[in-house]
Structures are given as C-alpha cells and as structure tokens.
C-alpha cells in the first residue's frame, strides 16, 4: 500500500466553524507533513512530525493545530479560519532516513472558507 | 533564507517537441527532487538526485544535477499529451530534516 489517504476531499466552512482534516498512511513512514497549496503555486510547508513529535512549525498561525495520534495518523484542526486560508491542504509522508526524503502526497483537501 | 528559482514559469509546446525546465538554488543542496502535478491532482515524486553531476533517465525524461549541486534540470524528449502538468523541483540543504524548498514550478501545456 503506497497511498496516503486524506479526508474529506472537499470542505466548505464558515469563519466561526471548527473542523478537522485527516490523513492516514500505512507505509510505516515515520515522518508526516502538512502542506498548503494555492492555485498555480508550489506547496508551502506548514508542519513536520517525525516519530510522532512535532519537529517543524513554519510559523503557522495558531488557528491551525496539528495532531499526530499515532505513527499512521495525522490531523489538522481548523478553528476561526480566514477566507485567505482557502487552499488545497496536502498531507505527505516519507521514510525518516538521512539523505532520503521521497514524499508521498495524499490527494488533498480542497478547503473553502466563507 | 534558501531560495530555489525555477524557469520558465510556463511552457507551451506542440506534441513531439522537447521541453526543459531549470532550477537554481541560492545554496548548495544535499539533494534535489522532482515532482509532477497533473491538473487537479497532487504532486507525485519522480526522482531524487544526490551526487554532484548526476544524470538519471526515466524513458523520455532526463534529470541532471549540477557539479556544484546548486542547479538541476529536467528534459523531456518528444513530449506527449500525457506530459501535461506542473513540474516542481524541490531542494534539501541537508539540515532540518523534512524542510524541502520547492521551486515555483513550470506549467507545461502540450498541444496535440
């Protein structure tokens, strides 16, 4: 199984809502990532978890809250988002090996904030 | 901070023509990777280059890593309509595991 599964595929939320994005992989990868991607732009790194610990937070606003319940799951909790947060949110995983960072991306959640 | 510049931003070709996209990093890289994102899709890993001067081929795709490990290129021979998409390079400096720096991407359109 070489898939990273993300749910939901689409999400529309108001600025006062709380929602969560979910990501799952069963490849035994020990590094998991959240990226944000705007149209016609490259993915922007938000968070990296390695061995279930948060290792990188790219100064992401606190309205985005990541969680890694176990080595296969990654969540992104959303609260009080702004319309400019509308984007494609991509989860990815990779093996945690020096010199090897092949990323497996999920199909993403297209988020619209109204 | 580290920057990876990628050109061109857009490329329109006739089917059968060749295509090249170039990446240039402001700092020496530990490795560089290439990803393809089809319209409406997600990035898919193509290849990773690690060694100075490395050249790798995948069918019609040729990837190069510069001698100074600061630049890279992807060349597609005889493009097909299935090559349509955005090609991203992504560099890693070798520190702060997980922190890839993506280029801006080249959007390739292939006209039949």
């Amino acid at each position: 199984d070489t898939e990273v599964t993300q749910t939901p595929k689409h999400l529309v939320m108001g600025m006062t809502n709380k929602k969560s994005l979910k990501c799952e992989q069963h490849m035994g990868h020990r590094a998991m990532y959240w990226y944000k991607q705007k149209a016609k732009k490259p993915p922007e790194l938000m968070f990296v978890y390695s061995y279930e610990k948060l290792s990188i937070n790219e100064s992401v606003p606190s309205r985005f809250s990541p969680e890694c319940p176990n080595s296969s799951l990654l969540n992104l909790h959303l609260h009080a988002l702004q319309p400019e947060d509308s984007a494609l949110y991509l989860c990815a995983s990779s093996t945690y090996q020096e010199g090897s960072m092949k990323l497996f991306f999920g199909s993403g959640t297209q988020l619209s904030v109204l | 901070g580290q920057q990876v510049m990628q050109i061109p931003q857009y490329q329109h070709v006739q089917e059968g023509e060749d295509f090249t996209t170039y990446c240039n990093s402001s700092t020496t890289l530990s490795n560089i990777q290439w990803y393809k994102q089809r319209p409406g899709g997600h990035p898919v890993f193509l290849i990773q280059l690690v060694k100075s001067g490395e050249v790798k081929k995948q069918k019609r795709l040729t990837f190069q890593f510069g001698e100074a490990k600061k630049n890279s290129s992807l060349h597609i021979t005889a493009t097909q309509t299935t090559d349509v998409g955005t090609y991203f390079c992504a560099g890693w400096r070798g520190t702060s595991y997980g922190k890839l720096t993506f280029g801006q991407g080249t959007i390739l359109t292939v006209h039949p």
Side-chain angles (χ1 to χ4, degrees):
Chain A
D1 184 0
T2 57
E3 276 195 353
V4 176
T5 304
Q6 284 188 247
T7 56
K9 293 198 181 307
H10 303 275
L11 180 62
V12 179
M13 59 186 291
M15 290 189 284
T16 58
N17 292 159
K18 284 186 182 181
K19 297 286 184 183
S20 296
L21 309 185
K22 297 187 182 300
C23 175
E24 188 169 8
Q25 57 90 12
H26 295 288
M27 294 178 278
H29 290 169
R30 303 313 297 268
M32 295 187 76
Y33 310 75
W34 281 114
Y35 281 86
K36 173 183 177 181
Q37 187 178 30
K38 294 274 199 179
K40 298 190 190 302
K41 295 293 185 183
E44 292 176 44
L45 183 64
M46 300 175 72
F47 303 104
V48 180
Y49 275 83
S50 53
Y51 290 87
E52 294 108 69
K53 287 188 174 16
L54 183 65
S55 57
I56 296 177
N57 176 343
E58 288 287 271
S59 302
V60 179
S62 59
R63 58 185 184 268
F64 295 91
S65 176
E67 179 195 19
C68 190
N70 60 53
S71 60
S72 300
L73 294 175
L74 187 66
N75 299 322
L76 187 63
H77 304 297
L78 314 173
H79 174 54
L81 294 193
Q82 304 297 309
E84 60 264 29
D85 296 322
S86 298
L88 180 67
Y89 287 84
L90 293 161
C91 174
S93 69
S94 72
T95 56
Y96 192 79
Q97 290 177 352
E98 283 300 322
S100 176
M101 286 181 53
K102 176 180 177 180
L103 293 178
F104 290 81
F105 282 91
S107 56
T109 295
Q110 188 66 55
L111 174 67
S112 296
V113 181
L114 304 179
Chain B
Q2 181 192 4
Q3 291 188 344
V4 175
M5 305 302 293
Q6 187 174 356
I7 58 168
Q9 188 176 357
Y10 299 93
Q11 186 75 61
H12 304 271
V13 299
Q14 288 293 130
E15 191 172 19
E17 292 181 340
D18 292 356
F19 158 75
T20 306
T21 174
Y22 301 90
C23 279
N24 192 50
S25 170
S26 56
T27 58
T28 302
L29 299 171
S30 180
N31 67 49
I32 194 161
Q33 304 178 12
W34 287 90
Y35 292 82
K36 176 183 179 181
Q37 187 170 18
R38 294 182 187 274
H42 59 276
V44 175
F45 175 87
L46 294 177
I47 209 157
Q48 176 175 270
L49 304 171
V50 179
K51 297 177 185 174
S52 169
E54 190 168 16
V55 178
K56 288 188 174 180
K57 294 190 176 186
Q58 290 179 349
K59 297 183 180 178
R60 294 177 296 104
L61 278 61
T62 302
F63 303 84
Q64 293 190 354
F65 201 11
E67 294 290 339
K69 299 185 74 173
K70 294 179 76 172
N71 56 70
S72 183
S73 65
L74 158 59
H75 179 81
I76 302 179
T77 304
T79 54
Q80 300 175 358
T81 55
T82 53
D83 295 325
V84 163
T86 303
Y87 292 85
F88 293 103
C89 61
W92 182 50
R93 289 176 62 186
T95 58
S96 195
Y97 185 87
K99 197 162 179 174
L100 284 179
T101 301
F102 278 81
Q104 289 300 301
T106 296
I107 300 173
L108 174 64
T109 306
V110 180
H111 300 284

